[in-house]
Amino acid sequence: MRSERGWAGVICCFVLFIVVCLYLLVNMKGAYRASGHQELGLLFFVIPGAVASFLSSRQRILLPLVGAMMAAPVCLVLMRVWLFSNRSFWQELAWLCSAVFWCALGALCFLFVSGLVARIRGRD
């Protein structure tokens, strides 16, 4: 059962990472350019990491990271083939690497909050 929960975290992060990536590429193409903050959409990648960390029983940071790292090449292929971008390959690769970072940070944030909640409940 434990290994199945681990795969659930990896698959969840994989799917949510691709969904967030496609959502940001399709729906918010020029939304942040007008405000001067182009990469605020990267903060949405915290969500797949936190959700995958919640679904993972052990290795709550490593499994979301594996899912995000598996989804990054898929997103890169989708961006280069399906969605024609005006950015270079290296800019898109850097954007995806920072998205993987934010996904791992989401897993870390969930781990921190769950540890904090457990500590507060232990005091009462």
Side-chain angles (χ1 to χ4, degrees):
M1 184 70 174
R2 287 182 186 171
S3 64
E4 293 167 0
R5 283 195 69 190
W7 280 109
V10 171
I11 292 170
C12 177
C13 188
F14 179 82
V15 170
L16 286 177
F17 190 93
I18 293 173
V19 167
V20 169
C21 182
L22 289 177
Y23 177 75
L24 289 175
L25 291 174
V26 172
N27 291 336
M28 296 189 177
K29 203 160 197 159
Y32 295 114
R33 289 188 184 157
S35 67
H37 303 287
Q38 297 179 9
E39 302 305 330
L40 284 177
L42 283 171
L43 293 175
F44 285 113
F45 285 101
V46 170
I47 297 168
V51 171
S53 182
F54 173 72
L55 291 177
S56 302
S57 61
R58 295 185 184 260
Q59 299 177 341
R60 292 183 179 252
I61 299 168
L62 184 65
L63 294 177
L65 183 63
V66 167
M69 289 176 70
M70 288 172 49
V74 174
C75 289
L76 185 63
V77 168
L78 286 174
M79 287 190 308
R80 297 304 287 175
V81 174
W82 185 52
L83 302 168
F84 297 105
S85 177
N86 56 357
R87 295 187 287 191
S88 72
F89 170 79
W90 298 108
Q91 286 176 325
E92 289 178 352
L93 186 64
W95 187 79
L96 280 172
C97 287
S98 60
V100 169
F101 165 78
W102 282 105
C103 188
L105 191 66
L108 280 171
C109 287
F110 175 79
L111 190 62
F112 173 72
V113 169
S114 64
L116 192 63
V117 167
R119 179 168 282 206
I120 290 172
R121 285 186 181 170
R123 279 192 193 161
D124 292 340

